[in-house]
Structures are given as structure tokens and as C-alpha cells.
Amino acid sequence: MSRSNVPAAAAYARPWRFLNIALIVSFLSWIDLGAITVMLPSIDRTLGTDNNILQWVFSGYSLMFALVLIPAGRLGDAKGRRFTLLLGLALFVAANMMAGLANSGIILVVARLLQGAAAGILTPQINALVEELFRPGERGRPFGAVGATSHAGAALGPLIGGIVIAAGGADDGWRLVFLVNAAIGIAAAVLIWRYFPSRSTRHQTNHQHDLIGTLLLAVGTTLVILPALQQGQWKGLLPWLLVPVGISVLVVFRSWETATARHHPPVFDFRLLTHRTYRRGLLVGFLFGAGFAPLPAIFSFYLQYGLDRSPLITGLTIAPFALGSVFGAVLGGFKVNRYGRPLLAIGLIVVVASLVMATAFAGLTGTTFSIVTGATLLLAGVGGGLVLTPNNALTLQEVSRADVGSAAGMYRTMRQVGSAMGLAIITATLFAAFGANDGRWSTALRYALAVAIGIVAAALLTSLVEILGSRRHGRGRAS
């Protein structure tokens, strides 16, 4: 009898085997996000793209990732993890093949949007698998493994991309990165087809999907982000009027969800926002995603465009960021129950301090710059890991088990929306400062880092407000 026909309870008797297969999928999707940072100069040379196309190639992935997360989580609940993982991998493989064979910037942008959609389909299934495979008291290690894998994939992406480009050639090596990912995606799909049960261990009684709510959320989010993505092409203040229009659409989304919640499962249950820790956790996740996610990109641009380093050397310089992120994520997972939200504040302080150091050393050149940059990125990675994993746990700690799926979906969406906006704004700042300062890349890097510092500092302030609020709340209850 095929393994896929084994009843779910028996098939999931060895949970780590299934989780490890799913982690391969997670690693692949996050590599696509990280590797692009060292591929853009080669893509620019080969396809003759402009900065606006490069912006969409880079940031469009995160945008689609964010938009697909919540409906994909619902789809996995309704159709099962095996079906949804295979669907996501099919789109992932097709998108990577399309990207690897692209002969124009527009085709590559479309492929990257499809890659982001595929990653958005895959990611919620992996988090849901942890809930299905492990009892509540056993989820610390598997969630830590998921966090470490995503950090490693995104942060090791530049190094892996640099190695593959070095092997495939400066002009067409970037194509090989996509094609290799497609081949590994096929292998992962075979493993899922062979070993995963055809039915999920959980079943929802109501699979009706809120299509109108999903569309309102997608349209509102896109309108808010679009001016940042297009600021290189859309001059003046008029395009930024799309932001209040997008916010208005999101207000309509909230009204729709409130009015129709009795008839179908909501895309997002706004009652969750009554939890103070959840509200603040969403804001911290959004701000930190915006300030932290662009770091590999801006250093990659500076190293390749400013210092004329190869993709391989660039990847090696950025690699400490991956090591620090994985270490910080694992450490944060182990220590969050003991230290709570102060651990989050420590991580944010470490990130701010590392970025201030990087700003101070931006004028260095040669090997000295690579060594100092590697050290500051290692520190930033550790701090980032101490933020992301604990904030995930702390944000959801007051949410009931019945609502955790919706709450986690919106949290991941807010983090990815923040990442997309941060990538657009900070990379645009880098290129704009380069043009406004007679082509001085070191000055451009300082401007970009200053924006990142400001955003992370806002996340730190939010976290400190939450710590003080929790202490006042605790004293009030004690009295």
C-alpha cells in the first residue's frame, strides 16, 4: 500500500521525518528571497534592466508572499497539507523555470511574483504542521527548527547564490540559481507525494472561504505598498495619495469582516486586536521586518556596485549574518519563556548598535571593510534572531487555541508587508542618495542605514512601551 494512503494518525507516527521534509521546502522558499540580493547586478548586465525593474524583481517577491499567506493557510486547512504543499511546489518549480529562462525584465518580474506566491502557499503549511504533529508542550524545538531554517535560508541565500554564479559564470550564473532551485523543488515534491498522508489530521467543519474579504485585504495592502515600490518611476507627491486610498480599502475590509463573520470564517478576526500584547506584537513585527529584512540587500548592492566585488565575495561577506541569525533564533527559542519581552528589547538594542557601528565604518575599503562588515552583520543577525522567534511566541501568548491560526496568519502577513515596504523604501533611499551625492556609494550606504536604524528604533520603542505597560498591568492586578 502506498504511503500516501496510510491513515493520517499512523503516517504521522514519526513526526520529525515529516517536519524535516517540510523544512527542506521552507529552506528553498527562503533561499529564493535571500539569493536575489547577489544576483541583481548580473541580471542587470544580462537583461539590461533599469532600477524600477530591479526593485520589482527584489521587492515583488515579498509583496506576493504577504498577500497569499492568509488565504493559503485557509486552503491548507480545507484541502490538507499534502495537497497544498504539492500545489505550492508545482508553482514554485514553474516560477523558477520561468525565471531561469527569462529573456526580459518583465518576464522575470512576473516569475518573481509567482515565486512569492508559491512561498506564501508553502509557509503556512509548515507552521500548521508543527501544530498538527506535536502536542503543545513539545512545540518549542520544532518551532525553533522552523525559525532557524527560515533565517538560514534567507541569510545563506547570498552565499549560495554567489557560489552558483561563480560556477555558472558572471553573465548567466544567475539563471543556474533558479534552475537548481527548480530541480530541488521537484525532489521535495516527490518526497511529499511518497510519504505524506493524503488526509490531514485536522478537519474544519466550515471550509467556506471569504473571497471578498481576501480581495479587499489584497487590494488595500497593494495600494499602500505600491507608491514605495514605484517611487523611482512615479515622481512627486501625487502617487502617495494611493496610501490613504489603500487605508480606506482596509477600513472597508474591517467593516466587511465584522458584518459577515456570522456567515463564514473571517479572513481575520478583529476581536484579536483587543489583546494588547497581540497589537503591539503585530506592530513590532511590521517595523522590525521593514528595518531588518533589507540589510543583506543594501550591503550586497554596496559591495557589488560600490566596491566591485564578485557575487561570491559578496556572499561570503554577508554569510556571518546567516550564522548570527540562526544562533539568535535558536537561543531566543530556548530563552523566551525565561526572560520574556525584555529578551526582545535586548535583541533590538543589539541590532540598533550593530547598524550604528556599520554606519560609522561605511567609509572603509578593501579587506578591512569586508572584515568589519562581517562582524557587524554577525552581531545584527544574533540580535535579529533574538527578536523574531521570541516575538512570534509572545505575540500569540494571549490568543486562544481556536484563534491561533488566524492570529498567526495576520502576524506573518504584517511582517512580510513590513519587509516589502522596507525593501522598497530603503533600497530606493540607497539609489537616490547615490544619485544625489555625485556617485559616492559610502554616503548612499550611510543614508540607507540611517533609515533602517530609525525603523528598528521605532520597533524598540514599541517593545519598551509594551514592557512598561505589562509591568503596570501586573502591579495593578497585584494590588
Side-chain angles (χ1 to χ4, degrees):
M1 179 167 54
S2 169
R3 188 73 190 184
S4 63
N5 294 325
V6 176
Y12 281 154
R14 296 170 62 185
W16 276 101
R17 177 171 69 178
F18 295 98
L19 183 60
N20 286 334
I21 294 173
L23 290 178
I24 295 173
V25 176
S26 177
F27 189 72
L28 277 176
S29 62
W30 286 98
I31 281 179
D32 260 356
L33 180 62
I36 197 70
T37 58
V38 298
M39 297 161 62
L40 291 177
S42 298
I43 291 170
D44 190 10
R45 287 194 302 270
T46 304
L47 301 181
T49 56
D50 57 31
N51 285 344
N52 188 57
I53 291 292
L54 292 179
Q55 185 82 283
W56 273 96
V57 168
F58 191 58
S59 302
Y61 182 100
S62 292
L63 173 61
M64 286 300 296
F65 195 163
L67 296 181
V68 171
L69 277 170
I70 290 179
R74 299 289 190 195
L75 179 65
D77 291 338
K79 298 294 186 180
R81 305 305 164 200
R82 179 176 182 267
F83 170 86
T84 313
L85 284 169
L86 288 173
L87 175 66
L89 280 170
L91 182 58
F92 177 84
V93 170
N96 273 279
M97 292 289 292
M98 183 180 180
L101 300 175
N103 59 6
S104 72
I106 296 297
I107 293 176
L108 185 58
V109 167
V110 173
R112 286 289 291 172
L113 292 173
L114 292 176
Q115 284 177 351
I121 292 172
L122 295 169
T123 298
Q125 317 316 319
I126 295 162
N127 287 280
L129 271 173
V130 174
E131 295 181 20
E132 293 184 5
L133 297 176
F134 300 91
R135 292 189 293 269
E138 300 173 342
R139 291 175 186 163
R141 284 181 59 214
F143 269 128
V146 172
T149 301
S150 61
H151 284 306
L156 279 175
L159 176 58
I160 294 171
I163 292 171
V164 175
I165 290 173
D171 290 333
D172 291 316
W174 63 271
R175 298 184 184 275
L176 190 58
V177 177
F178 292 126
L179 297 177
V180 168
N181 271 354
I184 299 174
I186 292 172
V190 170
L191 290 174
I192 290 171
W193 179 272
R194 175 73 177 85
Y195 291 108
F196 269 57
S198 57
R199 296 176 63 87
S200 174
T201 59
R202 290 194 308 190
H203 303 282
Q204 288 187 349
T205 56
N206 188 351
H207 296 324
Q208 184 180 1
H209 185 65
D210 179 10
L211 180 59
I212 294 177
T214 300
L215 289 175
L216 287 171
L217 176 61
V219 171
T221 303
T222 301
L223 290 175
V224 169
I225 295 176
L226 198 57
L229 282 172
Q230 286 290 112
Q231 61 181 311
Q233 295 291 109
W234 295 352
K235 305 299 183 182
L237 297 177
L238 187 61
W240 290 95
L241 293 176
L242 289 176
V243 174
V245 174
I247 293 173
S248 299
V249 174
L250 293 176
V251 171
V252 173
F253 163 70
R254 175 171 183 166
S255 299
W256 170 265
E257 292 296 288
T258 303
T260 62
R262 290 175 295 178
H263 307 296
H264 53 69
V267 175
F268 177 68
D269 188 346
F270 281 90
R271 291 176 301 174
L272 292 169
L273 296 179
T274 60
H275 300 297
R276 188 192 71 250
T277 56
Y278 183 72
R279 291 196 308 271
R280 299 265 170 80
L282 285 182
L283 183 56
V284 170
F286 173 83
L287 291 171
F288 189 70
F292 187 73
L295 294 181
I298 60 176
F299 279 102
S300 177
F301 286 140
Y302 179 68
L303 286 161
Q304 293 187 86
Y305 285 117
L307 300 182
D308 199 27
R309 301 292 170 82
S310 69
L312 178 58
I313 296 300
T314 298
L316 288 170
T317 303
I318 298 174
F321 187 73
L323 299 176
S325 296
V326 173
F327 175 77
V330 173
L331 181 63
F334 277 115
K335 299 297 184 181
V336 63
N337 290 333
R338 180 176 179 181
Y339 296 105
R341 198 159 291 277
L343 181 64
L344 192 65
I346 291 171
L348 289 164
I349 291 170
V350 170
V351 174
V352 170
S354 67
L355 295 183
V356 170
M357 291 170 55
T359 304
F361 296 131
L364 298 176
T365 58
T367 304
T368 303
F369 177 81
S370 294
I371 294 172
V372 171
T373 297
T376 55
L377 286 177
L378 175 67
L379 190 62
V382 173
L386 291 176
V387 174
L388 291 176
T389 301
N391 193 52
N392 187 21
L394 294 167
T395 300
L396 301 176
Q397 68 180 358
E398 291 186 0
V399 176
S400 68
R401 182 176 177 81
D403 295 327
V404 72
S406 176
M410 183 55 73
Y411 172 76
R412 289 189 294 267
T413 298
M414 288 292 290
R415 203 173 79 185
Q416 285 304 126
V417 168
S419 296
M421 292 188 70
L423 286 167
I425 292 170
I426 294 177
T427 55
T429 300
L430 181 75
F431 287 118
F434 170 75
N437 290 276
D438 301 322
R440 291 196 296 271
W441 275 104
S442 59
T443 302
L445 179 61
R446 288 192 179 99
Y447 274 101
L449 287 173
V451 175
I453 290 170
I455 296 172
V456 177
L460 173 60
L461 179 62
T462 303
S463 181
L464 292 175
V465 168
E466 173 59 22
I467 291 171
L468 293 174
S470 297
R471 289 181 177 175
R472 284 198 299 267
H473 183 67
R475 285 197 297 267
R477 292 180 61 182
S479 60

PDB file of all heavy atoms in Angstrom, residues 161-192:
ATOM      1  N   GLY A 161      23.881  31.780  -3.623  1.00  0.00           N
ATOM      2  CA  GLY A 161      23.783  32.420  -4.928  1.00  0.00           C
ATOM      3  C   GLY A 161      25.145  32.785  -5.480  1.00  0.00           C
ATOM      4  O   GLY A 161      25.415  32.588  -6.678  1.00  0.00           O
ATOM      5  N   GLY A 162      26.031  33.306  -4.631  1.00  0.00           N
ATOM      6  CA  GLY A 162      27.373  33.668  -5.083  1.00  0.00           C
ATOM      7  C   GLY A 162      28.163  32.468  -5.564  1.00  0.00           C
ATOM      8  O   GLY A 162      28.872  32.533  -6.579  1.00  0.00           O
ATOM      9  N   ILE A 163      28.038  31.344  -4.855  1.00  0.00           N
ATOM     10  CA  ILE A 163      28.756  30.132  -5.252  1.00  0.00           C
ATOM     11  C   ILE A 163      28.252  29.623  -6.601  1.00  0.00           C
ATOM     12  O   ILE A 163      29.043  29.275  -7.498  1.00  0.00           O
ATOM     13  CB  ILE A 163      28.597  29.042  -4.171  1.00  0.00           C
ATOM     14  CG1 ILE A 163      29.344  29.462  -2.893  1.00  0.00           C
ATOM     15  CG2 ILE A 163      29.119  27.692  -4.669  1.00  0.00           C
ATOM     16  CD1 ILE A 163      29.074  28.557  -1.708  1.00  0.00           C
ATOM     17  N   VAL A 164      26.931  29.585  -6.772  1.00  0.00           N
ATOM     18  CA  VAL A 164      26.365  29.080  -8.032  1.00  0.00           C
ATOM     19  C   VAL A 164      26.710  30.013  -9.189  1.00  0.00           C
ATOM     20  O   VAL A 164      27.038  29.551 -10.299  1.00  0.00           O
ATOM     21  CB  VAL A 164      24.841  28.909  -7.898  1.00  0.00           C
ATOM     22  CG1 VAL A 164      24.222  28.501  -9.234  1.00  0.00           C
ATOM     23  CG2 VAL A 164      24.513  27.868  -6.839  1.00  0.00           C
ATOM     24  N   ILE A 165      26.661  31.331  -8.968  1.00  0.00           N
ATOM     25  CA  ILE A 165      27.022  32.280 -10.030  1.00  0.00           C
ATOM     26  C   ILE A 165      28.494  32.112 -10.410  1.00  0.00           C
ATOM     27  O   ILE A 165      28.853  32.161 -11.594  1.00  0.00           O
ATOM     28  CB  ILE A 165      26.722  33.719  -9.585  1.00  0.00           C
ATOM     29  CG1 ILE A 165      25.208  33.936  -9.507  1.00  0.00           C
ATOM     30  CG2 ILE A 165      27.340  34.726 -10.544  1.00  0.00           C
ATOM     31  CD1 ILE A 165      24.804  35.268  -8.911  1.00  0.00           C
ATOM     32  N   ALA A 166      29.362  31.896  -9.409  1.00  0.00           N
ATOM     33  CA  ALA A 166      30.777  31.681  -9.705  1.00  0.00           C
ATOM     34  C   ALA A 166      30.970  30.433 -10.558  1.00  0.00           C
ATOM     35  O   ALA A 166      31.817  30.397 -11.464  1.00  0.00           O
ATOM     36  CB  ALA A 166      31.569  31.568  -8.406  1.00  0.00           C
ATOM     37  N   ALA A 167      30.171  29.394 -10.293  1.00  0.00           N
ATOM     38  CA  ALA A 167      30.288  28.152 -11.071  1.00  0.00           C
ATOM     39  C   ALA A 167      29.684  28.293 -12.459  1.00  0.00           C
ATOM     40  O   ALA A 167      30.200  27.723 -13.436  1.00  0.00           O
ATOM     41  CB  ALA A 167      29.589  27.013 -10.324  1.00  0.00           C
ATOM     42  N   GLY A 168      28.603  29.076 -12.580  1.00  0.00           N
ATOM     43  CA  GLY A 168      27.899  29.176 -13.855  1.00  0.00           C
ATOM     44  C   GLY A 168      28.339  30.323 -14.734  1.00  0.00           C
ATOM     45  O   GLY A 168      27.927  30.392 -15.893  1.00  0.00           O
ATOM     46  N   GLY A 169      29.135  31.241 -14.206  1.00  0.00           N
ATOM     47  CA  GLY A 169      29.601  32.375 -14.998  1.00  0.00           C
ATOM     48  C   GLY A 169      28.909  33.660 -14.594  1.00  0.00           C
ATOM     49  O   GLY A 169      27.748  33.663 -14.175  1.00  0.00           O
ATOM     50  N   ALA A 170      29.614  34.771 -14.753  1.00  0.00           N
ATOM     51  CA  ALA A 170      29.115  36.063 -14.282  1.00  0.00           C
ATOM     52  C   ALA A 170      27.860  36.509 -15.013  1.00  0.00           C
ATOM     53  O   ALA A 170      27.004  37.194 -14.445  1.00  0.00           O
ATOM     54  CB  ALA A 170      30.208  37.125 -14.437  1.00  0.00           C
ATOM     55  N   ASP A 171      27.713  36.129 -16.290  1.00  0.00           N
ATOM     56  CA  ASP A 171      26.576  36.610 -17.070  1.00  0.00           C
ATOM     57  C   ASP A 171      25.329  35.741 -16.911  1.00  0.00           C
ATOM     58  O   ASP A 171      24.215  36.259 -16.803  1.00  0.00           O
ATOM     59  CB  ASP A 171      26.957  36.687 -18.551  1.00  0.00           C
ATOM     60  CG  ASP A 171      27.954  37.808 -18.823  1.00  0.00           C
ATOM     61  OD1 ASP A 171      27.952  38.793 -18.059  1.00  0.00           O
ATOM     62  OD2 ASP A 171      28.731  37.688 -19.781  1.00  0.00           O
ATOM     63  N   ASP A 172      25.507  34.427 -16.930  1.00  0.00           N
ATOM     64  CA  ASP A 172      24.347  33.529 -16.904  1.00  0.00           C
ATOM     65  C   ASP A 172      24.276  32.655 -15.659  1.00  0.00           C
ATOM     66  O   ASP A 172      23.380  31.812 -15.555  1.00  0.00           O
ATOM     67  CB  ASP A 172      24.344  32.642 -18.147  1.00  0.00           C
ATOM     68  CG  ASP A 172      24.063  33.435 -19.415  1.00  0.00           C
ATOM     69  OD1 ASP A 172      23.157  34.279 -19.382  1.00  0.00           O
ATOM     70  OD2 ASP A 172      24.763  33.210 -20.422  1.00  0.00           O
ATOM     71  N   GLY A 173      25.195  32.855 -14.697  1.00  0.00           N
ATOM     72  CA  GLY A 173      25.157  32.047 -13.483  1.00  0.00           C
ATOM     73  C   GLY A 173      23.889  32.262 -12.681  1.00  0.00           C
ATOM     74  O   GLY A 173      23.409  31.348 -12.005  1.00  0.00           O
ATOM     75  N   TRP A 174      23.304  33.461 -12.772  1.00  0.00           N
ATOM     76  CA  TRP A 174      22.063  33.732 -12.033  1.00  0.00           C
ATOM     77  C   TRP A 174      20.931  32.834 -12.518  1.00  0.00           C
ATOM     78  O   TRP A 174      20.054  32.457 -11.729  1.00  0.00           O
ATOM     79  CB  TRP A 174      21.667  35.203 -12.156  1.00  0.00           C
ATOM     80  CG  TRP A 174      21.353  35.674 -13.551  1.00  0.00           C
ATOM     81  CD1 TRP A 174      22.240  36.185 -14.456  1.00  0.00           C
ATOM     82  CD2 TRP A 174      20.075  35.685 -14.190  1.00  0.00           C
ATOM     83  NE1 TRP A 174      21.597  36.513 -15.616  1.00  0.00           N
ATOM     84  CE2 TRP A 174      20.259  36.218 -15.482  1.00  0.00           C
ATOM     85  CE3 TRP A 174      18.800  35.299 -13.797  1.00  0.00           C
ATOM     86  CZ2 TRP A 174      19.224  36.373 -16.399  1.00  0.00           C
ATOM     87  CZ3 TRP A 174      17.757  35.444 -14.699  1.00  0.00           C
ATOM     88  CH2 TRP A 174      17.970  35.970 -15.972  1.00  0.00           C
ATOM     89  N   ARG A 175      20.948  32.480 -13.802  1.00  0.00           N
ATOM     90  CA  ARG A 175      19.924  31.573 -14.315  1.00  0.00           C
ATOM     91  C   ARG A 175      20.043  30.207 -13.649  1.00  0.00           C
ATOM     92  O   ARG A 175      19.036  29.558 -13.336  1.00  0.00           O
ATOM     93  CB  ARG A 175      20.057  31.422 -15.825  1.00  0.00           C
ATOM     94  CG  ARG A 175      19.873  32.722 -16.609  1.00  0.00           C
ATOM     95  CD  ARG A 175      19.928  32.454 -18.107  1.00  0.00           C
ATOM     96  NE  ARG A 175      19.844  33.681 -18.872  1.00  0.00           N
ATOM     97  CZ  ARG A 175      18.699  34.286 -19.219  1.00  0.00           C
ATOM     98  NH1 ARG A 175      17.549  33.756 -18.826  1.00  0.00           N
ATOM     99  NH2 ARG A 175      18.718  35.395 -19.938  1.00  0.00           N
ATOM    100  N   LEU A 176      21.273  29.784 -13.425  1.00  0.00           N
ATOM    101  CA  LEU A 176      21.510  28.472 -12.823  1.00  0.00           C
ATOM    102  C   LEU A 176      20.958  28.404 -11.404  1.00  0.00           C
ATOM    103  O   LEU A 176      20.495  27.351 -10.968  1.00  0.00           O
ATOM    104  CB  LEU A 176      23.016  28.173 -12.827  1.00  0.00           C
ATOM    105  CG  LEU A 176      23.450  26.759 -12.456  1.00  0.00           C
ATOM    106  CD1 LEU A 176      22.822  25.736 -13.396  1.00  0.00           C
ATOM    107  CD2 LEU A 176      24.977  26.656 -12.507  1.00  0.00           C
ATOM    108  N   VAL A 177      20.984  29.526 -10.673  1.00  0.00           N
ATOM    109  CA  VAL A 177      20.425  29.548  -9.318  1.00  0.00           C
ATOM    110  C   VAL A 177      18.953  29.151  -9.354  1.00  0.00           C
ATOM    111  O   VAL A 177      18.497  28.304  -8.585  1.00  0.00           O
ATOM    112  CB  VAL A 177      20.593  30.943  -8.682  1.00  0.00           C
ATOM    113  CG1 VAL A 177      19.939  30.974  -7.300  1.00  0.00           C
ATOM    114  CG2 VAL A 177      22.064  31.313  -8.575  1.00  0.00           C
ATOM    115  N   PHE A 178      18.199  29.759 -10.245  1.00  0.00           N
ATOM    116  CA  PHE A 178      16.775  29.441 -10.367  1.00  0.00           C
ATOM    117  C   PHE A 178      16.550  28.000 -10.819  1.00  0.00           C
ATOM    118  O   PHE A 178      15.670  27.302 -10.301  1.00  0.00           O
ATOM    119  CB  PHE A 178      16.104  30.398 -11.358  1.00  0.00           C
ATOM    120  CG  PHE A 178      16.013  31.815 -10.884  1.00  0.00           C
ATOM    121  CD1 PHE A 178      16.506  32.860 -11.662  1.00  0.00           C
ATOM    122  CD2 PHE A 178      15.420  32.132  -9.670  1.00  0.00           C
ATOM    123  CE1 PHE A 178      16.410  34.171 -11.240  1.00  0.00           C
ATOM    124  CE2 PHE A 178      15.320  33.443  -9.230  1.00  0.00           C
ATOM    125  CZ  PHE A 178      15.817  34.465 -10.025  1.00  0.00           C
ATOM    126  N   LEU A 179      17.323  27.545 -11.788  1.00  0.00           N
ATOM    127  CA  LEU A 179      17.124  26.203 -12.326  1.00  0.00           C
ATOM    128  C   LEU A 179      17.486  25.130 -11.300  1.00  0.00           C
ATOM    129  O   LEU A 179      16.820  24.091 -11.224  1.00  0.00           O
ATOM    130  CB  LEU A 179      17.948  26.030 -13.610  1.00  0.00           C
ATOM    131  CG  LEU A 179      17.540  26.956 -14.766  1.00  0.00           C
ATOM    132  CD1 LEU A 179      18.460  26.772 -15.951  1.00  0.00           C
ATOM    133  CD2 LEU A 179      16.087  26.721 -15.163  1.00  0.00           C
ATOM    134  N   VAL A 180      18.528  25.364 -10.500  1.00  0.00           N
ATOM    135  CA  VAL A 180      18.880  24.410  -9.438  1.00  0.00           C
ATOM    136  C   VAL A 180      17.761  24.350  -8.403  1.00  0.00           C
ATOM    137  O   VAL A 180      17.375  23.268  -7.931  1.00  0.00           O
ATOM    138  CB  VAL A 180      20.222  24.799  -8.780  1.00  0.00           C
ATOM    139  CG1 VAL A 180      20.443  24.020  -7.503  1.00  0.00           C
ATOM    140  CG2 VAL A 180      21.376  24.544  -9.750  1.00  0.00           C
ATOM    141  N   ASN A 181      17.212  25.506  -8.038  1.00  0.00           N
ATOM    142  CA  ASN A 181      16.089  25.526  -7.096  1.00  0.00           C
ATOM    143  C   ASN A 181      14.890  24.750  -7.637  1.00  0.00           C
ATOM    144  O   ASN A 181      14.192  24.057  -6.887  1.00  0.00           O
ATOM    145  CB  ASN A 181      15.670  26.969  -6.796  1.00  0.00           C
ATOM    146  CG  ASN A 181      16.425  27.553  -5.618  1.00  0.00           C
ATOM    147  OD1 ASN A 181      17.183  26.860  -4.952  1.00  0.00           O
ATOM    148  ND2 ASN A 181      16.237  28.827  -5.363  1.00  0.00           N
ATOM    149  N   ALA A 182      14.647  24.868  -8.946  1.00  0.00           N
ATOM    150  CA  ALA A 182      13.541  24.128  -9.560  1.00  0.00           C
ATOM    151  C   ALA A 182      13.773  22.625  -9.438  1.00  0.00           C
ATOM    152  O   ALA A 182      12.843  21.866  -9.117  1.00  0.00           O
ATOM    153  CB  ALA A 182      13.384  24.527 -11.024  1.00  0.00           C
ATOM    154  N   ALA A 183      15.001  22.179  -9.675  1.00  0.00           N
ATOM    155  CA  ALA A 183      15.308  20.748  -9.583  1.00  0.00           C
ATOM    156  C   ALA A 183      15.127  20.229  -8.161  1.00  0.00           C
ATOM    157  O   ALA A 183      14.562  19.146  -7.939  1.00  0.00           O
ATOM    158  CB  ALA A 183      16.735  20.495 -10.064  1.00  0.00           C
ATOM    159  N   ILE A 184      15.589  21.000  -7.173  1.00  0.00           N
ATOM    160  CA  ILE A 184      15.426  20.578  -5.782  1.00  0.00           C
ATOM    161  C   ILE A 184      13.951  20.588  -5.400  1.00  0.00           C
ATOM    162  O   ILE A 184      13.480  19.735  -4.633  1.00  0.00           O
ATOM    163  CB  ILE A 184      16.246  21.487  -4.842  1.00  0.00           C
ATOM    164  CG1 ILE A 184      17.737  21.404  -5.192  1.00  0.00           C
ATOM    165  CG2 ILE A 184      16.038  21.087  -3.384  1.00  0.00           C
ATOM    166  CD1 ILE A 184      18.604  22.372  -4.430  1.00  0.00           C
ATOM    167  N   GLY A 185      13.196  21.545  -5.926  1.00  0.00           N
ATOM    168  CA  GLY A 185      11.764  21.583  -5.670  1.00  0.00           C
ATOM    169  C   GLY A 185      11.061  20.342  -6.181  1.00  0.00           C
ATOM    170  O   GLY A 185      10.144  19.819  -5.529  1.00  0.00           O
ATOM    171  N   ILE A 186      11.476  19.834  -7.339  1.00  0.00           N
ATOM    172  CA  ILE A 186      10.900  18.599  -7.861  1.00  0.00           C
ATOM    173  C   ILE A 186      11.196  17.436  -6.925  1.00  0.00           C
ATOM    174  O   ILE A 186      10.319  16.610  -6.620  1.00  0.00           O
ATOM    175  CB  ILE A 186      11.445  18.315  -9.279  1.00  0.00           C
ATOM    176  CG1 ILE A 186      10.918  19.376 -10.262  1.00  0.00           C
ATOM    177  CG2 ILE A 186      11.055  16.916  -9.740  1.00  0.00           C
ATOM    178  CD1 ILE A 186      11.544  19.302 -11.633  1.00  0.00           C
ATOM    179  N   ALA A 187      12.441  17.363  -6.422  1.00  0.00           N
ATOM    180  CA  ALA A 187      12.808  16.290  -5.493  1.00  0.00           C
ATOM    181  C   ALA A 187      11.983  16.367  -4.208  1.00  0.00           C
ATOM    182  O   ALA A 187      11.521  15.346  -3.688  1.00  0.00           O
ATOM    183  CB  ALA A 187      14.300  16.381  -5.168  1.00  0.00           C
ATOM    184  N   ALA A 188      11.767  17.590  -3.697  1.00  0.00           N
ATOM    185  CA  ALA A 188      10.969  17.752  -2.489  1.00  0.00           C
ATOM    186  C   ALA A 188       9.519  17.324  -2.736  1.00  0.00           C
ATOM    187  O   ALA A 188       8.889  16.693  -1.875  1.00  0.00           O
ATOM    188  CB  ALA A 188      11.008  19.214  -2.022  1.00  0.00           C
ATOM    189  N   ALA A 189       8.986  17.630  -3.920  1.00  0.00           N
ATOM    190  CA  ALA A 189       7.618  17.227  -4.246  1.00  0.00           C
ATOM    191  C   ALA A 189       7.487  15.703  -4.280  1.00  0.00           C
ATOM    192  O   ALA A 189       6.477  15.146  -3.833  1.00  0.00           O
ATOM    193  CB  ALA A 189       7.208  17.826  -5.594  1.00  0.00           C
ATOM    194  N   VAL A 190       8.507  15.031  -4.795  1.00  0.00           N
ATOM    195  CA  VAL A 190       8.484  13.559  -4.822  1.00  0.00           C
ATOM    196  C   VAL A 190       8.430  13.002  -3.399  1.00  0.00           C
ATOM    197  O   VAL A 190       7.674  12.058  -3.104  1.00  0.00           O
ATOM    198  CB  VAL A 190       9.711  13.018  -5.585  1.00  0.00           C
ATOM    199  CG1 VAL A 190       9.839  11.500  -5.405  1.00  0.00           C
ATOM    200  CG2 VAL A 190       9.619  13.371  -7.057  1.00  0.00           C
ATOM    201  N   LEU A 191       9.214  13.569  -2.494  1.00  0.00           N
ATOM    202  CA  LEU A 191       9.207  13.108  -1.101  1.00  0.00           C
ATOM    203  C   LEU A 191       7.841  13.315  -0.452  1.00  0.00           C
ATOM    204  O   LEU A 191       7.344  12.443   0.274  1.00  0.00           O
ATOM    205  CB  LEU A 191      10.281  13.850  -0.298  1.00  0.00           C
ATOM    206  CG  LEU A 191      11.738  13.513  -0.624  1.00  0.00           C
ATOM    207  CD1 LEU A 191      12.683  14.438   0.140  1.00  0.00           C
ATOM    208  CD2 LEU A 191      12.050  12.059  -0.289  1.00  0.00           C
ATOM    209  N   ILE A 192       7.239  14.464  -0.708  1.00  0.00           N
ATOM    210  CA  ILE A 192       5.921  14.736  -0.122  1.00  0.00           C
ATOM    211  C   ILE A 192       4.870  13.798  -0.718  1.00  0.00           C
ATOM    212  O   ILE A 192       4.029  13.245  -0.012  1.00  0.00           O
ATOM    213  CB  ILE A 192       5.552  16.214  -0.333  1.00  0.00           C
ATOM    214  CG1 ILE A 192       6.450  17.093   0.548  1.00  0.00           C
ATOM    215  CG2 ILE A 192       4.079  16.473   0.000  1.00  0.00           C
ATOM    216  CD1 ILE A 192       6.332  18.563   0.284  1.00  0.00           C
TER     217      ILE A 192
END
